[in-house]
């Protein structure tokens, strides 16, 4: 770990101004990923700007849905009654993440930016195109059990590791960003994360001087009837092998609208739009669910150790859909 | 002294003693309040910090090391490399040196420019703060001539060979008893299966650490995180060319070991040399990542076990083969065949070990070394055989029950396995089990019940303790043992209290310092038996001295009695024939103006209270008791699992373990230790796996984030019981030890339950959801 300076910002402008001048500086909120990566020498920042005093707070009901300030903590959002009742998949995803200690620290904005757990990325002795562009991707023929079967490239198959973003992307969340000029823009979470392609070092559309202000999620029948299922190697405190966030609006046995996203199978939180379309107008039966799940993994390109994810992802989607219609 | 009433008679259950009672840990308060000092927590004047830099590559040569940038950092005192490490009198780099040192590995980093494994220390940076040393270590630039490494025996390029001996010459590479091949060929029923075991790491909570202080040019003190103070002392003295007594090793508390702290690994002597180089005390603590390449591991391995049996399930032949990865220098393989040879009555047996050298450090003992993976093979195969023949898994084990040691025909010193089976089955409700596999379902879960046998030898061992009894009624008892966190402080306090007739709060037990009487390594389950026997025997010497004093003392009621007519009851010496006549030690000592009296004792393997050897003279040469008994612990596990029928996740939902392991010194700490071993085994069964990249021969998941050990949610409430055994042969206290056996058979019990749940067998550990889902889909 390098020496670094530490400053506190109380306004967004103050914070983003630092990053405008020095792209090497980093914002720190909960620090649950950043400090890890700095200790591992994966990231080196000469300056940390503490943004915890920036007033991006609040979990509130707006005219068209839910608004969560980027600096709210995972535990607070996960336990918030509005979220629990109206957006259960988001609450479940949060409460199945990490540990209580980490959830008490980690912020919503930071969680959206959580970096991959690809073991090659996290050990600087290995080549890694994401960490050191052009150096290679040993994961392609190595320890890829936890890595992506969808959205990968020959340069990178690193999985997006989170839970919350999977639930949010399923429920059409939109992120609000603000730059150093104070200008805000709204971006669907679906478009927020980038596929690795040949530039795996670029992970989101966030500009250097932009901060995440808030996440909004539209209210919907399928959001109220949403659910998150996480499959992992141990009962708690582990990243998903695969996960699924689903939402369904079923009227008279017929599906009116459907939402499906998968975690730990894609290089970004993986929305299965095709599968959702297939469900609309269909009866809420296991047969429909299976057909949709098959569509969700179409085009999967597994490697040696993550072949199981093709089947497990489908079964997880079916499980999640069955559980909300049970 | 052979006529002396023995411990069981005076202090057994019902005699009011504290041995066996569930006493709270005497060190519990100090631990939870942070007062207990672990080896890296001693504040020392002028202490500086060492940080290792590990090799990025797994094979090659160091062409150059640029330490300029590191040396320029503020606070940096030294950067040690193979070019400037202070010279050692001896290194383990040749087999003679390795043997003399007792090193776990025939190679010491920083003594040559060759890189043999990823993470091998290539530099040690010393600075005035830990942070500065850490940062400076990252600035050391090494140029390597990189060669293509070999990652494991599974690499097609690996050269498999048959070693003459494995496990550092302790186990033969090939053994046979009878003609197993012929017996197998003609057996009416045959079974053959291949099992793999992932690389496992010990991952104790407390990482390895060394704090080295050169008191003078030739006197060294080391605060070390070790299971064996004396072994560390000898290793260091040999490497440094110092008399052993000029090296002092201190380990007051240990945050777990599980075998990785059983020997002296490179970081220890390197820290000592760093302290020499900077002429300051140096502390070095391995990082969690370095723990994966710093203190050994359980090797990756494949076992094939062939069984020949009668149609009634009686074993006729066992043929076992193991292939595993070892380092470039050593022939290490944990001795899996030992338990396969011993567990059941089978007339023939054959075992062979194959090794392949790869670019890895030498593997080492990992909890229940040999017995853990060996029991996985035999206990899964026995289960298969039971299903194949339509016999209950417990019944097939009873049909092959070994009434004497099948490897040598000797009688057991004690064996309560039948009682363990019976009690375990009763507690678990084994008779309610559906005999059919894959046939019990509760909603989405397939329910399975499995069981397995456990066994572990009582190893040859001896040690010494000193008891000092004070006239005011308190005692200080000492032995250079270590407490891994398992309760040594507590149980030895209990033993001393009963042996002296004192309340436990009047006894202070001291351990963890090479200045104290020598104790064995806390490993192989020898500590509890050896140290407790030493304490007991030392207390007998105190009584012997007091008796002699009393019968020579005109004012004593025992004046002129014969020594053999005087017995001890609690804290009093009385006449055997007239127990009213006697006095307590305090009165006697005060009258004789003695403030204290001392005794020492040697606790030995095979010197049980009926063998005539306890508490006789030391005899370290003998390998067995005079009666020629085979000495082992036995036990049985029963468990229930819920397997998600679609997703393949396995959750252990119920657990029962019953062991017969000689005298249990403390019901509470023993129960905790068994639970710990069960959890360790469940980890190996379901989730623990270190992944070594096949191309880079480097671990990819060297962290507790990615190397999964069980969390609370993975572990159900566990029932643990012991069958009371009074083993008169093992040692003076009749204690067999429980640290190792607690893990034996656990993985097999889980795997057998998974089979019972699903009707499918997973033979590759760990049994992760992907593997279970895979076999369920077929």
């Amino acid at each position: 770990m390098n020496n670094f300076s530490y400053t506190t910002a109380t306004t967004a402008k103050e914070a983003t101004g630092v990053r405008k001048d020095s792209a090497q500086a980093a914002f720190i909120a909960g620090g649950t990923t950043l400090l890890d990566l700095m200790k591992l020498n994966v990231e080196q920042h000469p300056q940390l700007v503490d943004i915890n005093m920036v007033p991006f707070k609040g979990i509130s009901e707006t005219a068209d849905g839910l608004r969560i300030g980027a600096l709210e903590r995972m535990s607070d959002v996960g336990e918030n009654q509005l979220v629990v009742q109206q957006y259960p998949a988001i609450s479940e995803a949060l409460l199945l993440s990490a540990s209580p200690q980490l959830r008490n620290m980690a912020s919503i904005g930071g969680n959206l930016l959580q970096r991959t757990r690809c073991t090659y990325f996290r050990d600087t002795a290995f080549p890694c195109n994401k960490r050191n562009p052009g150096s290679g991707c040993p994961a392609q023929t190595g320890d890829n059990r936890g890595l992506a079967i969808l959205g990968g490239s020959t340069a990178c198959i690193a999985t997006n590791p989170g839970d919350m973003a999977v639930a949010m992307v399923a429920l059409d969340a939109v992120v609000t960003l603000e730059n150093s000029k104070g200008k805000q823009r709204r971006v669907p979470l679906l478009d927020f994360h980038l596929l690795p392609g040949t530039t795996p070092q670029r992970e989101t559309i966030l500009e250097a001087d932009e901060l995440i202000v808030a996440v909004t999620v539209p209210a919907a029948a399928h959001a109220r009837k949403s659910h998150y299922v996480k499959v992992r190697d141990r009962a708690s405190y582990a990243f998903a092998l695969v996960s699924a966030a689903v939402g369904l609006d079923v009227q008279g046995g017929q599906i009116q609208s459907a939402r499906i996203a998968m975690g730990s199978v894609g290089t970004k939180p993986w929305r299965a739009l095709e599968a959702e379309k297939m469900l609309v107008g269909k009866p809420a039966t296991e047969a429909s669910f299976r057909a949709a799940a098959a569509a969700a993994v179409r085009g999967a390109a597994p490697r040696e150790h993550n072949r199981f994810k093709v089947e497990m992802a489908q079964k997880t989607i079916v499980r999640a859909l069955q559980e909300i219609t049970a | 002294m052979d006529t002396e009433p023995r411990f069981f008679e005076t202090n057994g259950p019902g005699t009011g003693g504290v041995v066996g009672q569930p006493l709270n840990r005497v060190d519990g308060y100090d631990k939870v309040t942070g007062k207990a000092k672990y080896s890296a927590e001693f504040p020392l004047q002028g202490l500086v910090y060492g940080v290792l830099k590990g090799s990025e590559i797994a094979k090659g040569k160091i062409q150059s090391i640029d330490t300029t940038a590191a040396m320029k950092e503020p606070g940096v005192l030294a950067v040690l490399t193979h070019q400037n490490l202070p010279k050692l009198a001896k290194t383990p780099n040749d087999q003679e040196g390795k043997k003399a040192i007792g090193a776990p590995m025939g190679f010491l980093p920083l003594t040559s420019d060759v890189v043999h494994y990823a993470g091998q220390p290539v530099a040690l940076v010393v600075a005035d703060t830990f942070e500065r040393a850490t940062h400076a270590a990252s600035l050391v630039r090494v140029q390597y001539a990189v060669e293509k490494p070999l990652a494991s025996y599974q690499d097609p390029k690996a050269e498999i060979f048959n070693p003459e001996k494995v496990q550092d010459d302790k186990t033969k590479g090939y053994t046979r008893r009878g003609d197993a091949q012929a017996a197998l060929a003609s057996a009416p029923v045959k079974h053959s299966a291949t099992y793999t075991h992932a690389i496992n790491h010990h991952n104790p909570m407390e990482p390895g650490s060394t704090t080295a202080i050169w008191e003078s040019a030739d006197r060294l003190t080391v605060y070390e995180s070790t299971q064996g103070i004396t072994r560390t002392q000898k290793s260091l003295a040999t490497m440094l060319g110092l008399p052993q007594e000029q090296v002092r090793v201190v380990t007051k508390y240990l945050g777990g070991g599980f075998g990785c702290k059983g020997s002296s690994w490179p970081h220890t002597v390197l820290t000592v040399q760093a302290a020499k180089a900077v002429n300051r005390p140096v502390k070095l603590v391995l990082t969690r990542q370095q723990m994966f390449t710093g203190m050994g591991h359980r090797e990756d391995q494949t076992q094939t076990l062939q069984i020949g049996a009668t149609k009634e399930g009686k074993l006729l032949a066992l043929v076992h083969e193991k292939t595993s990865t070892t380092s470039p220098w050593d022939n290490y393989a944990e001795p899996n065949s030992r338990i396969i040879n011993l567990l059941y009555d089978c007339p023939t047996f054959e075992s062979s070990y194959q090794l392949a050298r790869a670019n890895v450090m030498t593997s080492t003992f990992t909890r229940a070394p040999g017995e853990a993976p060996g029991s996985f093979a035999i206990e899964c195969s026995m289960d298969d055989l039971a299903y194949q023949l339509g016999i209950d898994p417990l019944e097939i084990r009873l049909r092959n029950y070994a009434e004497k040691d099948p490897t040598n025909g000797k009688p057991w010193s004690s064996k309560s396995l039948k009682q363990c089976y019976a009690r375990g089955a009763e507690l678990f409700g084994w008779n309610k089990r559906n005999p059919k596999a894959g046939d019990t379902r509760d909603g989405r879960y397939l329910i399975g019940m499995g069981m397995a046998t456990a066994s572990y030898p009582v190893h040859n061992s001896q040690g010494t303790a000193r008891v000092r009894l004070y006239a005011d009624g308190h005692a200080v008892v000492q032995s250079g043992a270590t407490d891994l966190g398992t309760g040594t402080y507590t149980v030895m306090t209990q033993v001393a209290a009963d042996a002296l007739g004192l309340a436990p709060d009047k006894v202070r037990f001291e351990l963890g310092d090479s200045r104290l009487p020598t104790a064995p390594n806390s490993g192989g389950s020898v500590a509890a038996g050896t140290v407790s026997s030493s304490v007991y025997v030392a207390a007998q010497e105190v009584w012997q001295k007091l008796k002699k004093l009393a019968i020579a003392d005109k004012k004593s009621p025992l004046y002129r009695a014969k020594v053999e007519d005087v017995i001890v009851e609690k804290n009093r010496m009385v006449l055997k024939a007239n127990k009213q006549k006697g006095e307590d030690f305090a009165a006697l000592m005060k009258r004789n103006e003695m403030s204290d009296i001392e005794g020492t004792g040697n606790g030995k393997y095979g010197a049980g209270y009926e063998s005539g050897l306890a508490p006789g003279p030391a005899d370290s040469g003998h390998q067995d008791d005079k009666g020629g008994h085979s000495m082992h612990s036995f036990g049985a596990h029963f468990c229930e699992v819920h397997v998600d029928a679609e997703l393949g996740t396995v959750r252990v939902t119920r657990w029962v373990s019953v062991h017969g392991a000689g005298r249990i010194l403390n019901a509470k700490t023993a129960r905790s230790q068994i639970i710990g071993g069960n959890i360790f085994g469940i980890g190996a069964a379901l989730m623990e796996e270190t992944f070594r990249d096949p191309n880079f021969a480097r671990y990819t998941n060297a962290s507790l984030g990615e190397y999964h050990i069980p969390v609370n949610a993975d572990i159900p409430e566990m029932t643990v019981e012991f069958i009371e055994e009074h083993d008169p042969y093992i040692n003076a206290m009749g204690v067999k030890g429980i640290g190792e056996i607690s893990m034996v058979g656990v993985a097999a019990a889980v795997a057998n339950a998974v089979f019972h749940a699903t009707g499918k067998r997973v033979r590759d550990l760990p049994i992760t959801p992907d593997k279970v889902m895979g076999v369920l889909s077929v």
Side-chain angles (χ1 to χ4, degrees):
Chain A
M1 181 145 84
N2 288 308
N3 283 328
F4 58 88
S5 67
Y6 170 87
T7 52
T8 309
T10 52
T11 65
K13 206 169 170 58
E14 226 180 302
T16 52
V18 177
R19 282 268 295 175
K20 186 171 174 276
D21 297 335
S22 163
Q24 294 303 304
F27 300 129
I28 179 167
T32 53
T33 294
L34 183 73
L35 295 184
D36 263 21
L37 294 176
M38 287 175 72
K39 285 182 190 171
L40 292 169
N41 262 325
V42 172
E43 291 191 21
Q44 290 114 352
H45 302 287
Q47 187 179 4
L48 294 188
V49 185
D50 189 328
I51 57 170
N52 286 298
M53 302 294 283
V54 177
F56 291 164
K57 296 274 171 66
I59 307 165
S60 54
E61 196 163 14
T62 64
D64 51 355
L66 168 72
R67 184 186 185 283
I68 305 168
L71 286 167
E72 287 294 335
R73 304 295 142 176
M74 289 173 73
S75 49
D76 292 332
V77 178
E79 286 156 17
N80 182 280
Q81 280 313 299
L82 173 63
V83 181
V84 170
Q85 282 158 23
Q86 304 293 315
Y87 310 87
I90 294 176
S91 167
E92 290 165 0
L94 281 164
L95 298 181
L96 289 170
S97 297
S99 66
Q101 293 89 336
L102 286 166
R103 295 196 295 267
N104 285 339
M105 288 297 291
S107 72
I108 298 303
N111 193 245
L112 289 176
L113 296 170
Q114 184 179 14
R115 304 196 73 186
T116 183
R117 297 295 296 195
C118 173
T119 51
Y120 296 96
F121 170 73
R122 291 172 67 86
D123 181 349
T124 57
F126 283 113
C128 169
N129 288 325
K130 186 186 278 295
R131 177 169 32 74
N132 184 11
S135 60
C137 178
Q140 307 274 351
T141 54
D143 178 10
N144 46 40
R145 178 169 177 262
L147 301 183
I149 55 170
L150 289 162
S153 67
T154 53
C156 182
I157 50 171
T159 328
N160 183 286
D163 297 296
M164 179 194 76
V166 179
M168 285 182 168
V169 85
L171 300 182
D172 306 303
V174 174
V175 287
T176 303
L177 312 174
E178 183 176 318
N179 69 11
S180 55
K181 293 183 187 125
K183 191 163 179 272
Q184 290 200 348
R185 60 172 173 148
R186 284 167 55 83
V187 181
L189 185 56
L190 189 58
D191 303 327
F192 181 76
H193 294 97
L194 298 169
L195 293 177
T198 55
T199 55
Q201 68 276 20
R202 265 219 90 190
E203 293 172 354
T204 68
I205 53 100
L206 200 65
E207 295 295 336
D209 69 335
E210 276 182 317
L211 258 179
I212 303 173
V213 178
V215 182
T216 52
V217 188
H222 57 242
R224 281 190 294 281
K225 197 111 175 141
S226 66
H227 183 36
Y228 187 75
V229 171
K230 182 174 182 178
V231 185
R232 43 188 164 174
D233 280 327
R234 63 181 169 193
S236 177
Y237 197 32
F239 289 90
L241 289 170
V242 305
S243 69
V246 301
L248 274 188
D249 177 15
V250 183
Q251 306 286 338
Q254 209 180 51
I255 298 168
Q256 305 301 309
S257 68
R259 293 293 182 274
I260 299 174
M262 293 177 284
S264 289
V265 297
T267 50
K268 57 185 253 179
W270 203 262
R271 179 88 177 258
L273 293 163
E274 204 57 34
E276 293 172 4
K277 267 186 222 149
M278 282 177 65
L279 283 175
V280 177
K282 299 272 165 53
T285 61
E286 188 177 328
S288 311
F289 299 160
R290 283 190 188 283
V297 293
R298 206 159 285 152
R303 267 64 175 182
E304 184 185 355
H305 300 290
N306 64 6
R307 262 171 233 292
F308 72 93
K309 287 191 176 187
V310 178
E311 182 184 343
M312 193 177 273
Q314 295 178 67
K315 289 183 162 171
T316 308
I317 290 171
V318 172
R319 170 66 55 81
L321 290 167
Q322 283 176 326
E323 284 182 348
I324 42 171
T325 50
Chain B
M1 287 185 74
D2 289 333
T3 55
E4 200 67 16
R6 298 299 175 186
F7 199 88
F8 290 124
E9 294 153 42
T10 55
N11 297 308
T15 60
V18 292
V19 164
Q21 298 298 311
L23 227 70
N24 285 335
R25 289 167 192 272
V26 296
D27 50 345
Y29 184 85
D30 283 354
K31 278 188 174 169
V32 299
T33 55
K35 245 176 94 181
K37 277 201 172 53
Y38 288 79
S39 299
E41 298 182 324
F42 285 83
L44 294 163
Q45 199 78 42
L47 182 68
V48 294
Y49 299 81
V51 168
L52 289 172
K53 176 190 169 59
S55 168
E56 291 91 342
I57 66 157
K59 188 179 186 191
K61 261 200 168 143
I62 299 168
Q63 288 178 319
S64 65
I65 298 190
D66 184 356
T67 61
T68 327
M71 283 302 292
K72 270 190 196 147
E73 283 294 306
V76 173
L77 300 167
V79 181
L80 296 183
T81 68
H82 67 281
Q83 290 160 337
N84 64 352
L85 183 77
K87 201 164 160 42
L88 289 160
K90 219 182 249 312
T91 73
N93 294 355
D94 54 80
Q95 285 302 313
E96 185 271 324
K98 188 192 169 192
K99 197 159 267 179
I101 294 162
M105 185 160 87
F107 172 70
L108 182 68
L110 265 65
T111 57
S112 93
D113 60 354
V114 183
V115 175
H116 292 287
Y117 60 96
Q120 172 186 321
V122 292
L124 193 166
V125 179
V126 184
D128 59 349
T129 71
F130 168 70
E131 291 77 10
R132 283 173 160 176
T134 302
H135 178 56
S138 75
L139 300 177
V140 175
R141 292 280 168 263
V142 186
Q143 290 290 331
Y144 304 96
V146 185
E147 293 169 53
K148 176 117 184 73
L150 203 68
S152 90
Y153 70 91
Q154 288 172 314
D155 189 304
K157 291 201 200 77
E159 290 173 24
I160 311 277
F161 66 99
N162 293 93
E164 207 170 295
K165 289 184 173 175
V166 293
Q167 201 207 3
D168 286 346
D169 295 353
K170 288 192 195 82
T171 304
K172 282 185 189 155
Y174 176 81
T175 41
R176 57 179 292 175
R177 176 162 56 78
D179 191 344
Q181 295 290 355
L184 181 65
S186 62
V189 177
K190 293 184 183 70
H191 179 270
S192 174
T194 296
Y195 302 89
T196 65
H197 200 300
I199 302 161
N200 279 183
H201 277 83
H202 314 76
N203 276 314
M205 187 86 85
E206 179 206 23
S209 78
T210 304
T211 306
I213 308 117
W214 284 94
E215 314 280 1
S216 66
D218 57 1
R219 277 188 183 275
L220 174 71
T221 298
V222 175
Y223 295 92
E224 177 75 3
S225 179
T226 178
Q227 293 169 234
I229 286 168
T230 307
R231 188 179 286 180
T232 303
Q233 182 193 29
K234 277 186 191 160
S235 293
L236 286 176
T238 309
M239 284 190 273
L240 298 165
L242 289 175
Q244 198 175 320
E245 63 273 14
Q246 281 166 228
V247 177
R248 181 185 173 204
V249 179
V250 180
T251 305
K252 287 296 175 187
Y253 291 94
L254 210 64
F258 314 118
C260 77
K261 295 172 183 170
S263 6
S264 190
W265 294 98
H267 68 270
T268 303
V269 72
L270 296 180
T271 307
V272 167
Q273 293 301 77
K276 175 138 263 183
V278 301
N279 199 23
R280 300 264 293 267
V282 174
K283 171 159 88 179
L284 184 143
V285 182
L286 295 180
T287 64
R288 184 54 63 181
Q289 188 181 14
Q290 288 168 347
M291 283 298 288
F292 284 78
T293 50
M295 302 183 85
H297 56 276
R298 193 192 298 282
E299 66 267 16
D300 40 330
Q301 52 191 280
T302 297
Q303 306 175 75
T304 298
L305 180 61
Q306 298 181 79
I307 296 183
T310 67
K311 285 180 181 144
E312 293 73 39
K314 182 74 195 66
L315 295 179
L316 298 170
L318 288 164
V319 177
H320 180 253
E321 267 180 33
K322 170 176 169 173
T323 307
S324 57
T325 304
T326 190
S327 66
W329 337 273
D330 302 314
N331 290 349
Y332 190 93
E334 54 179 331
N336 299 32
S337 59
R338 190 163 60 191
I339 190 170
I340 296 167
N341 193 1
L342 175 116
L343 204 52
Y344 297 109
D345 182 27
C346 179
T348 69
F349 172 77
E350 184 180 297
S351 123
S352 63
Y353 289 83
Q354 279 85 237
L355 293 175
R357 302 205 181 285
N359 291 101
V360 302
M361 75 183 307
T362 308
S363 50
T364 195
F365 6 88
T366 307
R367 200 170 198 169
E371 269 71 11
S375 66
F376 177 63
I378 178 90
E379 287 301 272
C380 287
S381 285
M382 286 300 279
D383 221 54
D384 275 357
L385 192 63
Y387 285 102
Q388 197 176 323
L389 298 173
I391 303 171
D392 181 274
L394 180 49
E395 171 59 24
I396 201 168
R397 287 166 170 90
L398 288 169
R399 285 186 195 179
N400 289 286
Y401 196 83
E403 297 288 358
K404 55 187 193 311
D405 185 338
T407 69
N408 54 24
K410 285 184 187 176
W412 307 107
S413 62
S414 61
K415 179 175 181 178
S416 316
L417 181 56
K418 273 185 183 158
Q419 295 94 309
C420 294
Y421 284 145
R423 181 64 179 151
E426 181 193 345
L427 287 166
F428 184 80
W430 183 255
N431 60 355
K432 295 192 196 85
R433 172 178 167 275
N434 178 351
K436 221 174 137 202
D439 191 46
T440 309
R441 198 171 174 131
D442 179 6
R444 72 170 65 122
Y445 294 113
L446 306 171
I447 315 288
M449 298 181 191
M451 58 85 53
T453 314
S455 168
Y456 196 79
V458 180
H459 287 303
N460 189 3
S461 169
Q462 65 151 345
T464 310
R466 179 164 56 220
V467 167
R468 182 178 287 176
L469 178 66
Y470 290 83
D472 69 359
H474 85 278
V476 175
V477 183
Q478 299 173 318
S479 182
T482 49
D483 185 336
L484 277 72
T486 47
T488 311
Y489 275 111
T490 309
V491 299
M492 297 313 156
T493 301
Q494 289 171 269
V495 170
D498 279 7
L500 296 168
L502 301 176
D505 63 355
K506 295 292 181 195
V507 175
R508 189 170 81 238
F509 183 71
E510 296 178 347
L511 53 68
D513 192 325
S514 59
R515 286 179 174 172
L516 302 177
T518 305
N521 252 33
S522 287
S525 286
V526 303
T530 311
V531 181
S532 66
S533 296
S534 308
V535 169
Y536 168 71
V537 173
Q540 297 317 306
E541 192 182 90
V542 169
W543 285 122
Q544 198 68 4
K545 286 183 181 172
L546 287 167
K547 282 182 202 170
K548 284 181 182 160
L549 185 67
I551 60 180
D553 178 357
K554 283 179 190 163
K555 291 180 180 160
S556 170
L558 299 170
Y559 180 55
R560 286 193 165 165
K562 287 184 183 153
V563 179
E564 55 270 29
D565 291 339
V566 180
I567 59 166
V568 177
E569 278 198 340
K570 305 289 170 215
N571 59 351
R572 281 168 60 82
M573 290 160 288
V574 296
L575 280 181
K576 209 188 294 178
N578 176 12
K579 290 181 182 172
Q580 300 303 311
K581 204 166 176 191
E583 66 175 330
D584 67 25
F585 68 81
L588 173 70
M589 287 172 74
K590 278 174 192 155
R591 201 168 54 243
N592 285 274
E593 295 181 342
M594 291 176 74
S595 72
D596 58 273
I597 184 165
E598 219 172 77
T600 60
N602 188 250
K604 295 193 303 293
Y605 164 86
Y609 69 94
E610 281 182 6
S611 74
L613 287 174
D619 175 12
S620 59
H622 77 97
Q623 292 291 311
D624 207 342
D625 73 315
K626 281 190 173 168
H629 289 86
S630 182
M631 303 176 180
H632 292 262
S633 307
F634 292 91
H637 305 286
F638 295 82
C639 76
E640 180 190 82
V641 298
H642 286 195
V643 179
D644 188 303
E646 274 82 42
L647 301 173
T649 50
V650 178
R651 297 285 177 256
V652 178
T653 48
R654 286 202 295 137
W655 196 278
V656 173
S657 295
V658 182
H659 291 282
R663 173 178 283 270
I664 298 304
L665 294 168
N666 180 316
K668 185 184 275 186
T669 56
R671 177 176 179 272
S672 296
Q673 200 169 358
I674 298 290
I675 288 174
N678 288 340
I679 296 171
F680 219 94
I682 290 172
L686 295 180
M687 60 193 81
E688 293 195 39
E689 173 170 25
T690 324
F691 190 93
R692 195 184 291 134
D693 183 278
N695 304 306
F696 290 81
R698 183 181 178 85
Y699 294 123
T700 61
N701 60 335
S703 85
L704 289 180
E706 267 74 25
Y707 181 93
H708 293 139
I709 58 171
V711 296
N712 278 331
D714 292 298
I715 304 302
E717 188 68 30
M718 288 179 169
T719 302
V720 173
E721 282 197 8
F722 297 96
I723 302 297
E724 197 176 302
E725 281 182 349
H726 286 185
D727 190 315
Y729 304 108
I730 0 167
N731 50 45
M733 284 295 294
V735 169
K736 291 180 176 175
I738 54 173
E740 312 278 6
I741 194 174
S742 58
M743 187 182 171
V744 182
V746 172
V750 174
N752 292 343
V754 170
F755 177 81
H756 183 239
T758 62
K760 309 280 176 148
R761 181 64 73 173
V762 179
R763 300 181 199 278
D764 303 311
L765 293 182
I767 304 169
T768 46
D770 46 328
K771 292 177 193 165
V772 179
M773 188 190 70
V775 295
L776 282 169
S777 314
V778 175

